[in-house]
Amino acid sequence: MHKKVAIIGSVGSGKTTMVEQLSNIEPLNTDVQATEKIGKELTTVGIDYGWLAVNDEITLGLYGVPGQKKFSVVWDFVKQGLWAVIILVKNNDPNSYQQIPHLLRYFDITEHMPCVIGITHADHGCDQQTLAAIRSTLEPFQLNIPTYTIDPRTHASVQLIMQTLISIGEESQ
Amino acid sequence: MEILVSTSLKGRDLAIIKSLININNIYGDTQIVYTDENTACQFLITQDLKRQRPSYYALNQLNGEKINITPDLNPQSVRNLFSALANSVPAKQDSSVSTEQAILDYCSSGVSSNNLLIEVFDESVMLDKTKQLLYSTTSINSNLLMQLHKQASRVKLIEREATDTKSYAYCKPLELFNWELGYCHDDQLIDEAFKASDKAFKQVTWPNYGECEFVQEFIKLSSILCKRSETYTQLLKISGYEAHTINQFLNATLIAGHVIVIDNHRPAIKPLKHRHNPFISGLKRLFAFN
């Protein structure tokens, strides 16, 4: 059996890093030299892929996909067999979290689908306005989605996200 | 009741005080607790060096009263001092509204033009729920939390426009402070009446576990309460956790505003057992989630 987790976010939000943290294998990514100033040398133009062996019979595919609408063709592929969604947004970056409503609709995220929002680039703590804006974005959907300040480079953050997804998934059975 | 003591003394004198507290710090209903923070204690044991022969005393930092320690500082005189302190300090009235309850009432009430001022010893904290900030005249650390939790404090509402925040040296997001205040309180619920069967808890927002201190059990409790409301008794049964964990979770989430108390109209039902799911079980093992 193969389950999927989609890790969705804007450029530089930490998707590639998170896939690398979680994956049992060397992640397959499609990084190229960035042609615009985005704060780093390489950027992903397709998806990042990794996987995790849950047991002898079940694997969990990790799909890091861009969050912008123009990449929705990639989303179609990931949507089939999706177990959970991780949305990464950058602290203090409204462009980053303005995509959230569209993602919630497209991936049909309801209270039964495990979903966590991770706020990255928040080394000194999450900006309260970012947190408030995200909560306000979720209100019309009446969804109570965990929103955490995280650092995808750390094991603790990745473990927190996965434990939350597992707990929500278990309660939704 | 607890009495916080500290000392400016060093060497032998410090060793005597600390060892006596370690050996036995219970005097009647009172527990003597030592702190290294001289500014956070209720009584400061020190000595007057101006006289020909140094004399020891305990300074009540609330009212400036000095209690002499005679003839000098030795185990017996320190025991006598602790006994005198236990008999002299009025206990925090159980019937009065606790500081945590006052904060909860203030934060959960509607829009207000007032801030909440809390004074304990010589320090004060001010809550501004409009700006979602807490201001303090002293460092916002575990000692301050302990004082607010254990000691009698004066609480009052003051008009926001009349407040000068420049006099407060420290500032912190209110949500984080409220969480920490509730988190350090696990012996009982901030309001024991919440345990009644006609009251239930419901989580309205997830705590930011990326920034708040928590234990792993909180994640499951949040997962339960974000889907449905549960009474205190049901929460104990469903989770299988000990009461102090439930108390700690509820106190932190209630004061920080993530959980609310609602009327319970549902009859108690037998908790459903999750059917075995090899995928979930496998993930739990991989990510050390019990």
Side-chain angles (χ1 to χ4, degrees):
Chain A
M1 188 197 307
H2 184 72
K3 300 269 198 182
K4 291 177 184 168
V5 171
I7 302 163
I8 312 167
S10 58
V11 170
S13 59
K15 304 182 294 297
T16 305
T17 307
M18 184 161 281
V19 170
E20 284 171 357
Q21 273 279 347
L22 282 167
S23 181
N24 279 153
I25 61 168
E26 188 71 30
L28 173 71
N29 57 42
T30 50
D31 283 356
V32 297
Q33 289 288 131
T35 54
E36 293 175 11
K37 277 188 186 166
I38 55 166
K40 52 179 186 162
E41 192 185 339
L42 298 175
T43 191
T44 308
V45 290
I47 63 170
D48 294 297
Y49 175 72
W51 64 258
L52 198 55
V54 178
N55 57 35
D56 290 340
E57 292 171 358
I58 308 173
T59 53
L60 182 66
L62 311 159
Y63 298 81
V65 298
Q68 295 93 318
K69 251 194 232 180
K70 62 184 179 184
F71 295 111
S72 58
V73 61
V74 181
W75 300 354
D76 288 338
F77 165 68
V78 172
K79 197 177 171 181
Q80 315 238 346
L82 195 58
W83 169 66
V85 173
I86 301 168
I87 300 174
L88 299 182
V89 300
K90 292 200 286 191
N91 191 35
N92 268 326
D93 182 359
N95 288 332
S96 189
Y97 52 77
Q98 276 162 5
Q99 301 291 331
I100 292 177
H102 188 75
L103 292 172
L104 296 178
R105 282 187 213 103
Y106 181 81
F107 285 98
D108 207 14
I109 294 172
T110 65
E111 58 176 18
H112 300 294
M113 175 183 281
C115 176
V116 172
I117 298 173
I119 302 172
T120 63
H121 297 268
D123 293 340
H124 302 292
C126 163
D127 172 60
Q128 293 303 305
Q129 285 186 330
T130 298
L131 195 56
I134 291 171
R135 284 177 178 163
S136 139
T137 300
L138 295 174
E139 256 180 52
F141 295 86
Q142 295 187 331
L143 287 173
N144 205 335
I145 296 178
T147 304
Y148 299 152
T149 308
I150 64 155
D151 183 348
R153 298 168 298 184
T154 68
H155 176 69
S157 279
V158 170
Q159 187 168 39
L160 169 61
I161 287 185
M162 290 307 297
Q163 287 179 348
T164 304
L165 292 175
I166 292 163
S167 189
I168 295 172
E170 189 173 40
E171 289 303 316
S172 298
Q173 289 182 137
Chain B
M1 187 187 68
E2 274 188 9
I3 294 178
L4 281 173
V5 301
S6 186
T7 183
S8 61
L9 303 171
K10 306 285 178 199
R12 169 196 167 272
D13 296 337
L14 174 62
I16 289 176
I17 294 165
K18 288 178 98 170
S19 63
L20 282 174
I21 292 173
N22 282 340
I23 293 166
N24 175 26
N25 67 337
I26 307 291
Y27 292 79
D29 294 328
T30 302
Q31 191 177 2
I32 307 292
V33 176
Y34 183 82
T35 175
D36 288 321
E37 296 274 330
N38 286 0
T39 55
C41 67
Q42 199 169 347
F43 290 93
L44 178 70
I45 301 171
T46 186
Q47 64 179 152
D48 186 347
L49 295 169
K50 290 175 193 168
R51 297 182 180 182
Q52 223 172 6
R53 190 169 170 232
S55 62
Y56 295 91
Y57 62 93
L59 172 68
N60 185 331
Q61 303 212 97
L62 190 60
N63 59 21
E65 183 191 352
K66 287 182 184 178
I67 304 165
N68 291 323
I69 302 170
T70 56
D72 54 29
L73 196 116
N74 58 58
Q76 188 56 52
S77 65
V78 174
R79 277 192 218 100
N80 291 343
L81 167 69
F82 289 161
S83 185
L85 296 184
N87 291 327
S88 68
V89 175
K92 189 172 177 181
Q93 295 298 320
D94 289 338
S95 60
S96 67
V97 173
S98 67
T99 306
E100 290 91 335
Q101 185 68 56
I103 292 174
L104 178 60
D105 289 343
Y106 169 71
C107 290
S108 57
S109 63
V111 173
S112 166
S113 59
N114 293 324
N115 289 345
L116 185 72
L117 178 66
I118 303 170
E119 292 167 328
V120 58
F121 298 143
D122 290 331
E123 307 295 350
S124 61
V125 298
M126 188 181 64
L127 284 70
D128 183 337
K129 65 177 177 180
T130 303
K131 291 183 185 169
Q132 282 295 297
L133 287 174
L134 174 113
Y135 301 93
S136 174
T137 54
T138 184
S139 181
I140 304 168
N141 55 24
S142 55
N143 279 321
L144 174 63
L145 294 175
M146 199 186 308
Q147 283 184 46
L148 291 172
H149 175 46
K150 299 281 186 192
Q151 304 299 329
S153 54
R154 294 177 293 278
V155 178
K156 59 184 177 185
L157 291 169
I158 54 171
E159 279 206 23
R160 188 165 298 121
E161 283 182 9
T163 306
D164 176 22
T165 56
K166 288 176 197 160
S167 57
Y168 294 88
Y170 302 87
C171 185
K172 187 166 193 160
L174 186 57
E175 184 180 314
L176 274 177
F177 170 79
N178 285 346
W179 176 273
E180 286 166 11
L181 185 64
Y183 186 79
C184 72
H185 187 179
D186 68 354
D187 49 346
Q188 59 183 30
L189 276 188
I190 52 173
D191 187 342
E192 289 285 297
F194 292 161
K195 285 183 179 175
S197 58
D198 64 342
K199 296 291 174 201
F201 303 96
K202 179 82 179 83
Q203 183 174 280
V204 293
T205 52
W206 272 79
N208 183 353
Y209 290 129
E211 289 193 22
C212 301
E213 193 173 351
F214 71 103
V215 293
Q216 198 189 85
E217 288 84 343
F218 283 20
I219 298 176
K220 179 168 176 177
L221 292 168
S222 281
S223 302
I224 293 170
L225 291 183
C226 80
K227 296 217 178 290
R228 61 190 184 273
S229 60
E230 294 290 357
T231 64
Y232 184 86
T233 309
Q234 283 291 96
L235 206 51
L236 273 171
K237 275 189 196 157
I238 294 166
S239 67
Y241 298 145
E242 295 194 6
H244 72 87
T245 302
I246 306 282
N247 293 340
Q248 197 177 28
F249 169 79
L250 289 176
N251 286 337
T253 51
L254 280 168
I255 300 178
H258 298 297
V259 163
I260 57 173
V261 179
I262 59 175
D263 291 331
N264 177 48
H265 301 294
R266 235 173 54 209
I269 53 171
K270 200 173 171 184
L272 290 170
K273 279 191 181 174
H274 295 300
R275 40 172 212 280
H276 175 65
N277 183 320
F279 172 59
I280 295 288
S281 301
L283 285 177
K284 284 170 97 168
R285 179 184 48 80
L286 269 179
F287 290 99
F289 187 62
N290 301 318

